[in-house]
Amino acid sequence: MGKIKSAIITAIIAAAILVLAFFALFSWPVAGTGKVDKYNSFASGIHLGADITGEAYTVLYPEGVLSASDYHFNMPEPDTDDGADKVDEYIAKYSQCGSVYIEKDKLEEHGGEAGFKAKVKKDAEILSKRFGQKGYTSYSVSVVDGFTVKVSVPSNMTYAAYSDPEYNSAARSAERSAVAQTVKFLSYNGGLTLRNSEVGKIHDSELDNYILTPIKDNVNTYFKGISKYAKGGNYAVKVKLTDTGRARFKDISSKVSAASSDKNIGFYIGNSQLLSLECNSEIDGKSFFISVSNTSDDSAAAQEYAIILDSVINGDTLTLNYLSGGDPEVYFSTPHLGKNAPIYLGVIILLVIVAAIVYSVVKYKLLGLVNAMMIVIYSLAMVTAIMLIGIQVTVAGAFAAVLGLALLCASNFVLFESVRKETKKGKTIYSSVKSGYKNVLTTILDMHIILVVVSLMLALICVGEIAKCGFIFFIASIASYILYWFTRFMWYVISSFAKDKFKFCGFTREVPVDD
């Protein structure tokens, strides 16, 4: 390749790297409509796990249970004409149980303190199952003081939202709202009923709707399972029916589709409607789909609807009502590794990258710069891919990305040493490169195939943090293999400027001398 063509290619690639690095690593203020907004870099837009940016948590109080602060805040004022009587009436209404206050009627209804605690414990186990299906990198559901349930999940904040709340208050608020919505959906209590305002069997005179399924029937008689469905950016809940359910839905949908005004089947958990299935014709099949739209996050909503519905049809129904006080209040906690955990993690990763670059240059001279370029491209590509896909990164996930970097460097170092051996045989540099690649091709290919398969299995079979790490390493392995071959191209391009190709590579050619 000619020097001019090599210079043009090198300049284009270098410019592309600089542009990508600029947007991937730097943030800056941007003038907005009447205020100053901020452009957040790709790196600062990556969502981080609880060990880096902390947890979002809420405490669920069953109906009739108050915290000590709420109990005293709601105490009537005694300085009015009938204030003293109201205070006595208020005090007589509650019984103190540890750090909380419980309405005496509720205590009696649920079998006293022991019975109440048993129901809270059982509900916490059901909630733990439901939150476990969300795929969080970490989460916990625990009983506090015997009468309340604490739910903790990753805050899912980006570094921008975590480090700069002034510019990113909307992002923090969005994450808080998302957690509150998830807790709300997964905390619905009560069984599943299907309703329509015109046809069906009246179950309760206080309800406006009719019950479409006989109350004596168990809902799992009709349903095999309920799951999330996604295709082409559209999200739905997929409902699988038993043979009995198929016959029942054929009858229900036929009647509802013939209704004069309400042609919808409402899916209710307790008295809360989750979804509505529009019936313009008879439904006769082993499964059907209920579309999810017009929510802030259709994907999350579809998943949460599926989780709660599937939980209920399998008999996991919450006994107590935890949403009588309205939507849950969500708070953020300090990261497990300290409030500066994101900075520490960023510095460690940067040091690893610098160390890899320095080692490459010291070991292989100017050829090391080719590997250094691959290291930079790999790092920027991983940041961009993780941000665009929306993977939540933990410390373990960051370690998986670093392992991918190690894989790339190891592959190139194995190649460089193979080429070095060929040069010692007296071959030209181009012949050595060709032979060197050929000698290690099977080893490098097999290594990457094995790691891609293993990482993909972890991503698909496992859950939580292990699944996220597997997916990150899957991307890293693909990037490593692509850049391994791109190394050869850039080696060829950049070495065109060197008069002495062996010196460029830091190799020594042994030429036999005639006696």
Side-chain angles (χ1 to χ4, degrees), residues 208-251:
D208 295 329
N209 295 343
Y210 292 82
I211 305 300
L212 293 170
T213 51
I215 200 64
K216 61 183 172 59
D217 288 355
N218 194 327
V219 289
N220 60 17
T221 304
Y222 303 118
F223 303 104
K224 278 186 177 180
I226 301 178
S227 59
K228 172 186 172 182
Y229 178 81
K231 186 175 182 180
N234 297 314
Y235 300 93
V237 172
K238 183 178 182 180
V239 181
K240 294 181 179 179
L241 301 172
T242 62
D243 291 338
T244 303
R246 180 175 180 178
R248 183 61 184 164
F249 263 89
K250 181 179 180 180
D251 176 57

Side-chain angles (χ1 to χ4, degrees), residues 362-380:
V362 171
K363 179 76 173 178
Y364 297 104
K365 309 308 180 213
L366 292 176
L367 177 58
L369 292 176
V370 177
N371 188 60
M373 180 181 288
M374 298 305 107
I375 292 172
V376 172
I377 294 175
Y378 169 87
S379 302
L380 295 175

Side-chain angles (χ1 to χ4, degrees), residues 79 89 99 108 110 176 290 293 297 426 428 445 458 461 506:
D79 298 333
E89 183 181 341
S99 63
E108 184 178 349
H110 298 298
R176 183 181 279 109
I290 308 175
S293 60
D297 188 342
T428 64
L445 182 60
L458 290 175
I461 297 174

Side-chain angles (χ1 to χ4, degrees), residues 262-278:
D262 188 358
K263 296 181 181 293
N264 296 287
I265 298 176
F267 282 66
Y268 282 73
I269 299 295
N271 288 328
S272 301
Q273 182 176 358
L274 288 185
L275 293 166
S276 180
L277 173 64
E278 185 176 3

Side-chain angles (χ1 to χ4, degrees), residues 163-179:
S163 63
D164 201 347
E166 178 182 355
Y167 278 109
N168 296 281
S169 58
R172 293 172 70 94
S173 178
E175 295 300 345
R176 183 181 279 109
S177 298
V179 173

Side-chain angles (χ1 to χ4, degrees), residues 30-78:
V30 178
T33 56
K35 63 176 183 177
V36 177
D37 294 324
K38 190 175 185 180
Y39 166 78
N40 292 316
S41 66
F42 297 168
S44 64
I46 293 175
H47 290 273
L48 303 171
D51 52 354
I52 305 176
T53 57
E55 294 178 329
Y57 68 91
T58 186
V59 178
L60 299 175
Y61 288 83
E63 186 177 7
V65 179
L66 294 178
S67 65
S69 59
D70 285 342
Y71 172 80
H72 293 294
F73 179 80
N74 294 331
M75 181 80 69
E77 293 291 338

